[in-house]
Amino acid sequence: MIQMEQKLSTKSEVLIEKENRYGAHNYHPLPVVLEKGEGVFVWDVDGKKYYDFLSSYSAVNQGHCHPKIIGAMIHQAQKLTLTSRAFYNDQLGVFEEYVTKYFGFDKVLPMNTGAEAVETALKLCRKWAYEVKGIAENQAQIIVCENNFHGRTTTIISFSNDEGARKSFGPYTEGFIKIPYDNIDALENVLKASKNIAGFLVEPIQGEAGVYVPTEGYLAKAKALCEAHNVLFIADEVQTGIARTGRLLATCGNCSCEKGCENKPEVKPDILILGKAISGGVYPVSAVLANDAIMNVIKPGQHGSTFGGNPVAAAVAIAALEVIQDEKLAENAERLGIILRKGLNEIAQRNPLIELVRGKGLLNAIVINCGEESDLAWEICLRFRDYGLLAKPTHGNKIRFAPPLVITEEQIKDCLTIIERALNDFI
Ligand SMILES: *Cc1c(COP(=O)(O)O)cnc(C)c1O
């Protein structure tokens, strides 16, 4: 039996109306206006408290307003914020040494947003293809996957197959070949058919597509094929990285993860793309990591960003990565992810609205038993909100469950109670 949806306060309505009136309508937010966050919780303008089950698309893995990260930001912001890369600054080199050792690469190229880091990786891959691999100028192709999400720039949306992201933004950038995700044969066929393949860009788990987890071994096989064809394996870990999936990286290679990676290392990408939680969600920081043989193709003046590698970003990112290790967040994500999926599967047995539960670590989704066109998932998210939990549908009928990794077992149990109670309102 469906009850009346909670009414918005006047204060919330006024603020929502301002966004409607003065902001471009490029998003469709859930109607809740937030003003404070701490750990796994956020509060709205009326003081109501919610579990955050989106974590700003996995940017806030370390929890909202983590005191150590905020402290690092305040300290650095009071001293020096931006020098541009026209001069050296005393934070960047320290960050570069820290992040390369942390993830096990020779070099890093710092940027700000995830999309910029993806663009950087694509440029790096193309330049390597011409100058090292020897592909004829302008002939390089990069393989991408169907239903990918890599950001919003003109080039990136050129190889999206999401009509909303793509339509009326052409003409599109050339040089990309799209294959089905999680399909090794498709990859092998393209690699065999052309001598002009420079790279394979892939999300270890497709987050925006609805937390689509590939078959066990897919990434390792894909990496081996790329290696055999002298093609760069480029992992977009903007959403899956930084402990989200129960390991430091979803492609967990040769890194300093607390498990030492003896725990079934999957692959080591040739180019690793990070963003989102590399700053704990407090500042836009992204990074592209690669070894010298690849990174050294970029020479002064050939790529850059005014804000990329600024001292605040450097200080914040070091603190954010320290928190991941200090608080053993990869281990926590793995352990609590198992508990969360088990609880969701139990709910699914009692409630037919959950068609499927999937995910890894604390990157999870439920598929609601309705078509992608139905607004049922949206209605369910409104009900979650009413009961104190914030989540958002993706691709119509999927709801992502990705709380900050600092969440406790007791809080997960509390959230499962909220989720079941809300779902029960719809049967
Ligand atoms: C969010 C995301 C991006 C884009 O990051 P922005 O900071 O929004 O530009 C790229 N790739 C993946 C996999 C993402 O989840």
Side-chain angles (χ1 to χ4, degrees):
M1 173 56 193
I2 300 188
Q3 303 149 18
M4 272 291 288
E5 186 186 308
Q6 180 181 300
K7 274 195 97 74
L8 287 172
S9 69
T10 312
K11 200 169 172 188
S12 309
E13 272 182 343
V14 167
L15 290 163
I16 289 172
E17 187 43 33
K18 276 193 204 300
E19 286 199 26
N20 269 332
R21 172 87 173 74
Y22 299 106
H25 294 182
N26 57 328
Y27 279 94
H28 178 42
L30 207 79
V32 59
V33 184
L34 303 174
E35 69 166 22
K36 194 177 98 165
E38 191 186 314
V40 296
F41 296 111
V42 285
W43 284 261
D44 72 13
V45 290
D46 305 305
K48 182 173 168 173
K49 183 178 175 183
Y50 305 86
Y51 283 104
D52 180 357
F53 254 47
L54 183 65
S55 306
S56 309
Y57 301 98
S58 298
V60 195
N61 288 0
Q62 297 86 336
H64 286 276
C65 297
H66 194 291
K68 177 167 173 168
I69 309 172
I70 299 299
M73 180 161 77
I74 292 171
H75 178 78
Q76 186 56 45
Q78 287 173 333
K79 227 173 141 197
L80 181 67
T81 59
L82 187 62
T83 57
S84 85
R85 297 286 302 276
F87 312 114
Y88 292 90
N89 72 66
D90 72 342
Q91 299 296 307
L92 179 56
V94 179
F95 164 70
E96 289 173 333
E97 178 177 16
Y98 184 82
V99 78
T100 50
K101 288 185 175 161
Y102 198 96
F103 292 103
F105 286 87
D106 293 341
K107 283 195 170 51
V108 62
L109 197 159
M111 296 294 278
N112 312 284
T113 66
E116 280 177 318
V118 172
E119 287 279 345
T120 300
L122 296 172
K123 288 172 74 176
L124 185 58
C125 178
R126 283 179 169 183
K127 208 159 194 297
W128 172 87
Y130 300 126
E131 296 179 2
V132 180
K133 182 166 176 172
I135 293 177
E137 192 67 19
N138 290 326
Q139 298 303 306
Q141 299 282 329
I142 294 175
I143 305 171
V144 298
C145 292
E146 282 168 15
N147 302 321
N148 68 70
F149 182 84
H150 297 289
R152 301 295 197 165
T153 65
T154 321
T155 288
I156 293 171
I157 60 98
S158 292
F159 56 80
S160 166
N161 57 300
D162 175 344
E163 266 308 281
R166 217 179 115 85
K167 197 174 173 302
S168 302
F169 293 123
Y172 303 111
T173 308
E174 291 175 52
F176 298 95
I177 299 174
K178 211 178 296 155
I179 61 167
Y181 187 64
D182 195 18
N183 187 328
I184 275 294
D185 293 341
L187 179 64
E188 187 163 24
N189 290 340
V190 176
L191 288 171
K192 276 183 175 160
S194 171
K195 291 261 168 286
N196 291 335
I197 309 292
F200 174 48
L201 171 65
V202 65
E203 298 160 85
I205 292 173
Q206 286 191 326
E208 295 308 303
V211 188
Y212 193 89
V213 185
T215 316
E216 185 84 37
Y218 168 67
L219 298 169
K221 283 182 199 152
K223 166 72 206 259
L225 277 175
C226 287
E227 228 169 87
H229 289 85
N230 194 22
V231 159
L232 301 184
F233 182 95
I234 309 168
D236 180 349
E237 292 236 29
V238 171
Q239 188 161 153
T240 54
I242 325 289
R244 172 52 62 185
T245 67
R247 288 186 279 172
L248 182 54
L249 298 172
T251 52
C252 207
N254 166 26
C255 60
S256 65
C257 164
E258 64 266 18
K259 291 176 202 159
C261 286
E262 78 287 335
N263 186 24
K264 272 205 279 178
E266 187 110 63
V267 296
K268 170 99 192 268
D270 298 302
I271 302 180
L272 173 65
I273 307 168
L274 298 173
K276 294 194 169 115
I278 196 172
S279 72
V282 311
Y283 199 83
V285 183
S286 65
V288 175
L289 290 123
N291 285 341
D292 284 338
I294 298 164
M295 197 64 98
N296 284 345
V297 303
I298 301 269
K299 303 278 186 322
Q302 295 175 346
H303 187 61
S305 156
T306 303
F307 280 84
N310 72 75
V312 176
V316 161
I318 291 175
L321 290 170
E322 281 175 354
V323 168
I324 295 287
Q325 277 183 337
D326 292 350
E327 303 186 15
K328 298 198 181 327
L329 294 185
E331 282 174 16
N332 204 48
E334 176 158 85
R335 188 174 72 83
L336 295 184
I338 291 166
I339 293 168
L340 176 61
R341 282 186 301 280
K342 182 168 173 280
L344 291 170
N345 277 312
E346 283 164 12
I347 296 172
Q349 283 175 5
R350 298 186 287 265
N351 190 317
L353 277 173
I354 301 185
E355 189 181 301
L356 196 69
V357 178
R358 66 186 176 214
K360 207 169 185 182
L362 283 174
L363 183 59
N364 297 283
I366 57 172
V367 181
I368 301 293
N369 210 339
C370 64
E372 282 198 17
E373 304 312 312
S374 162
D375 58 6
L376 183 57
W378 175 266
E379 294 296 327
I380 290 170
C381 286
L382 288 175
R383 189 54 50 94
F384 287 158
R385 175 203 63 179
D386 297 347
Y387 294 161
L389 183 147
L390 296 179
K392 185 115 195 281
T394 178
H395 286 262
N397 62 342
K398 297 155 196 100
I399 303 174
R400 192 168 4 198
F401 288 146
L405 311 182
V406 294
I407 198 164
T408 65
E409 183 169 346
E410 197 188 336
Q411 289 168 334
I412 288 275
K413 299 242 154 95
D414 194 21
C415 292
L416 284 164
T417 307
I418 293 174
I419 290 163
E420 180 156 30
R421 180 170 163 230
L423 286 168
N424 284 347
D425 284 351
F426 292 86
I427 51 171

